[in-house]
Amino acid sequence: MAKRRDTIFRGDLAMTADATFLDALRQALGSDAVDIAADSLAYFANDVYRTGGLPLAVIRPASVEALAEAVKLCAGAQVAMVPRGGGASYTDGYIRPEGGHILIDTGALDDIVIDETNAVVTAGAGVTWANLKIALEAKGLRTPFWGPFSGIAATVGGSMSQNTLSHGGTAHGISAQSVIGFDVVLASGEVLTTNACDGMRFYGPDMTGLFTGDCGVFGIKARIRLPLLPVLHHAETVSFAFDSFADYHTGVRKAQLARLDDSHFGLDLALSQGQIARQEGVGARLKIALQVMQKAPDKLKGLATLVKMGLAGEDPMRAGAYMCHFIVEGFDGQDAAHKAKQLRRIVGAHGREIANSVPTFVRSVPFAPLFNILGPGAERWVPIHGVFAHDKAVAFDTAFKALLAARKADMDRLGVWTGTMFSPVGASGFLYEIALYWPDARTPYHLTTLGDEYIAGLKDFPANPAARAYADDLKEAIVSLMQDHGAGHFQIGRAYPYQSRLSPAAKALLGAIKRELDPQGLMNPGALGL
């Protein structure tokens, strides 16, 4: 009995300490910026894929100064801090299994300062790529990499912390390659500026690069400085179909090396007819008619494109076992047409050209709503990706298909299925992303993100622990297979192996940096294996 009283007494002390700490946060940030409501904590305890422990509170600092003060308070109370951007992560990047942390929602850090003279934009960590695009396009500008497909929600800070790719990726690389510098709030509350020179990133050792892909384990990004380019309004969209993965890979490998397009992406038949067709069917494509017409410098050509989109119907979704879609930009129509002609020559030798309705849609609506956080039949969804050297890509594809064949009976029994998509990573990397689906109940993340009206129109699945456990096991098997083929990963979070890939010297250096910047280990503990 004495031990039980002691336990209760210790619990009361902890609750009192928590209340005092939360009061201090409210005083520093304002009461509206500190959220402990049960439904909020349940929502923020989930990412797209997994449910973690409940945060002690969710805070939403409205300024860099407020963020720094909150970090000081957390450090003083020895409370773990986990930053969150747009929330579309699926690798446990902001999910802490133990709970009890302060979840830092960076969404209110949304200032955008455009310096046209110096061709630099400074964006708050919570700025979405969609809002950044709107602000910059008003001045005829863009960033080199300008966002993932989830950019309606994905933030600039989150993309820099996790690394990502999509729009602008072929020509300019991943998100980490389109940044000059950061202002980072360290565990001490000090604000560190990573670039020593306003005009460039590379002045001595690359301190900015240290904080790209770090998942917030070294500090919390507050501001991001990115270079600017002029928007090129003239574009061609080109699509190809391929009968085999080997043909597909050969064609896009040569396209990657040529760097003629601004961005491209590929899909297998399952994903093209599933997720993409749901979003980009004939009806959806015709609904964007006005946008296509408005964005076309040549209105007659825009009308011709629109008619082609309507006549194409669903054929581009089933034109081959694999399909690839290119967006080619030029300084004028002649420049864009010349690049597209060269692309047709290079890629057409390995596939056949098909109607270009899919890339036309993507160029018109680059940041679609987050409907794809559920499958085409409202199943649960998680992507699994690996970046391969070109000489490993076909071998991995063969091994992955063998893995699926060996598991087919169990997958069919449990309703588990997959589709694949592909993207370039510079000239030398090939991203192979697997979408994994299974029937299961939705979490508070899905319900809150999609809203009651949209959810009401979907098929409802009961909780399915057997399918969920099988999907998790299959996910781990796929990650292991990717590792066997030398894959690297973006969005490492807590889902992909990282430290096991480091040499002893590199691991020691990483640990020393962590101890220097975060001696108490309070910055997103557990991410990157730290």
Side-chain angles (χ1 to χ4, degrees), residues 147-212:
F149 294 133
S150 58
I152 196 169
T155 63
V156 178
S159 294
M160 295 300 167
S161 290
Q162 293 278 56
N163 286 335
T164 190
L165 77 170
S166 286
H167 298 301
T170 309
H172 303 286
I174 68 171
S175 55
Q177 294 170 267
S178 287
V179 59
I180 294 172
F182 300 122
D183 291 339
V184 182
V185 177
L186 303 178
S188 64
E190 179 185 359
V191 179
L192 170 70
T193 296
T194 65
N195 54 305
C197 173
D198 291 339
M200 67 174 184
R201 168 173 166 179
F202 303 103
Y203 187 166
D206 182 15
M207 291 183 64
T208 295
L210 180 65
F211 292 89
T212 63

Side-chain angles (χ1 to χ4, degrees), residues 53-57 79-80 96 98-102:
L54 291 177
L56 176 63
V79 175
R96 187 168 188 247
E98 303 91 330
H101 54 290
I102 293 298

Side-chain angles (χ1 to χ4, degrees), residues 70 236 387 472:
E236 297 276 345
V387 179
D472 195 61

Side-chain angles (χ1 to χ4, degrees), residues 124-140:
V127 171
T128 65
W129 290 99
N131 285 341
L132 182 61
K133 183 176 188 289
I134 291 169
L136 291 175
E137 278 197 339
K139 297 180 178 295

Side-chain angles (χ1 to χ4, degrees), residues 275 278 371-381 417 437 458:
Q275 291 286 74
R278 180 181 68 174
F371 300 145
N372 286 348
I373 62 173
L374 293 174
E379 310 95 329
R380 290 283 301 278
W381 162 81
W417 62 283
Y437 304 95
L458 302 180

